[in-house]
Amino acid sequence: MSAAKRAPLHALTFDVEEHFQVNAFDSSDRRARWANEASRVERNTEKLLELLDRHRYRATFFVLGWVAERHAKLIERIAAAGHEVASHGYGHELITKPSPDAFREDVRMAKKILEDVIGAPVTGYRAPTFTIMPRTRWALEVLVQEGYTWDSSVVPVVHDVYGWPGADPYLHRIDTPSGSLFELPPSTVGLPGTRARLAIGGGGHFRIYPYPLVRTLLRRIEAKDEPIVFYLHPWEIDPGQPRMQGSPLSRFRHYRNLDRVESRLERLFDDFRFTSVRELLPALVQAKQRRPDRSLTSR
Ligand SMILES: [Zn+2]
């Protein structure tokens, strides 16, 4: 009798930022108050670390430089527990806003702050609100020039803030004049009968859709022999966070079902196996290289 086949491994990622830094409620007024807001990121991230420890899972934490400056010990603890520390940039400005020079400064600063804290290279990046899209594709070359080797920001969907419809939904290599990097898009599934895709990789989708639907859709990705790339924010397991003013849509997206996320995560962690991108990526690249039908060149 052979041992049961081990379930496939998927990528688990967290974007470490304060609840008041999300794009939906962003404004220059609010930014001016960031330094005075009561921090909740440390407590929420600790809760995630405990949950991961209980399930013996490792994850990738895309940390904001702004957060790392103020909570260096937390970032040290993330790294010491065996998780990967990656970059979420410094100031959480959507890439559609700053100039290329300001973007370069932002990702350079974040990388340096994080590397100084953990004493190890930081090679992965995720853009604020996934804003690498056709009109900001120049950002990919800046990332290569600044020493990043992989990115997880391109979501091949139609959305009001982000999205690169038609982009390759699975791991691929993106070549720029300055070199290449790997793109590992957050998970989406194709909508039958159309070329459109539905984001299913975490965040609001994970909170708003019924869990059995999420599981069914994630199983479809697994059935294709592709890894799920799941994401969540520490504030999403914090039902007690203060409510902010914003549009009804933003409030729905941000606050819906916050009280259910922790138990849903427990179910997700029982239903699928996860690890960090750092541990998953080399095997994924090798597997694609062995299979001519799974080209790494973007389709
Ligand atoms: Zn973010």
Side-chain angles (χ1 to χ4, degrees):
M1 221 175 79
S2 66
K5 188 180 164 225
R6 297 210 74 185
L9 268 171
H10 302 292
L12 183 58
T13 71
F14 298 100
D15 297 357
V16 181
E17 65 202 32
E18 296 279 7
H19 62 286
F20 51 80
Q21 294 178 312
V22 298
N23 169 59
F25 302 112
D26 197 13
S27 68
S28 45
D29 277 7
R30 188 175 296 286
R31 277 181 179 265
R33 292 197 303 271
W34 275 9
N36 305 322
E37 299 263 11
S39 170
R40 302 176 76 89
V41 71
E42 187 139 355
R43 200 194 66 156
N44 293 335
T45 306
E46 289 291 355
K47 247 160 91 182
L48 287 172
L49 290 172
E50 279 164 31
L51 193 65
L52 292 172
D53 186 52
R54 242 185 295 131
H55 286 263
R56 302 270 178 273
Y57 284 158
R58 286 181 175 160
T60 294
F61 289 77
F62 295 98
V63 180
L64 217 53
W66 190 95
V67 168
E69 270 181 344
R70 289 158 179 81
H71 304 276
K73 291 271 175 259
L74 173 68
I75 312 311
E76 281 173 28
R77 285 198 294 276
I78 293 173
H83 304 294
E84 175 178 23
V85 172
S87 164
H88 196 30
Y90 181 82
H92 214 262
E93 196 93 68
L94 302 193
I95 305 184
T96 44
K97 289 184 183 165
S99 66
D101 282 347
F103 173 74
R104 182 188 303 280
E105 189 52 36
D106 179 277
V107 296
R108 182 183 289 178
M109 213 156 94
K111 192 170 191 292
K112 169 136 186 24
I113 291 167
L114 293 168
E115 288 179 343
D116 285 350
V117 169
I118 65 171
V122 165
T123 57
Y125 176 74
R126 174 169 290 147
T129 321
F130 309 110
T131 41
I132 294 187
M133 45 219 274
R135 67 186 154 117
T136 54
R137 64 185 311 156
W138 52 263
L140 292 162
E141 185 175 5
V142 175
L143 290 174
V144 172
Q145 290 168 343
E146 293 303 318
Y148 291 93
T149 60
W150 65 274
D151 172 72
S152 180
S153 313
V154 173
V155 191
V157 298
V158 176
H159 184 278
D160 55 340
V161 182
Y162 58 85
W164 189 326
D168 189 330
Y170 304 117
L171 173 71
H172 57 282
R173 200 188 64 227
I174 294 179
D175 298 322
T176 80
S178 301
S180 50
L181 83 175
F182 290 113
E183 175 61 41
L184 188 65
S187 285
T188 55
V189 290
L191 292 173
T194 75
R195 293 181 61 199
R197 302 187 68 83
L198 180 72
I200 189 70
H205 316 285
F206 183 64
R207 282 182 285 115
I208 293 164
Y209 305 152
Y211 179 73
L213 174 67
V214 171
R215 182 176 48 207
T216 301
L217 295 176
L218 293 179
R219 288 272 183 241
R220 277 205 219 157
I221 298 169
E222 198 169 53
K224 284 184 189 290
D225 236 351
E226 294 283 357
I228 295 159
V229 180
F230 186 84
Y231 73 89
L232 207 71
H233 304 83
W235 56 260
E236 289 184 278
I237 54 160
D238 181 9
Q241 66 190 271
R243 294 326 192 227
M244 290 179 285
Q245 298 298 316
S247 72
L249 177 62
S250 291
R251 289 174 60 88
F252 176 79
R253 280 179 179 164
H254 191 87
Y255 297 124
R256 181 79 180 158
N257 289 344
L258 288 174
D259 54 336
R260 299 190 182 173
V261 171
E262 209 174 329
S263 63
R264 282 187 185 190
L265 264 186
E266 297 269 9
R267 292 178 72 183
L268 182 82
F269 288 177
D270 286 339
D271 289 335
F272 300 90
R273 273 175 80 218
F274 289 99
T275 191
S276 62
V277 174
R278 178 173 64 198
E279 289 185 12
L280 200 60
L281 197 57
L284 276 181
V285 170
Q286 267 188 9
K288 292 244 172 182
Q289 282 166 341
R290 277 198 305 268
R291 295 182 53 169
D293 60 320
R294 299 281 170 100
S295 165
L296 271 169
T297 311
S298 182
R299 277 166 279 159

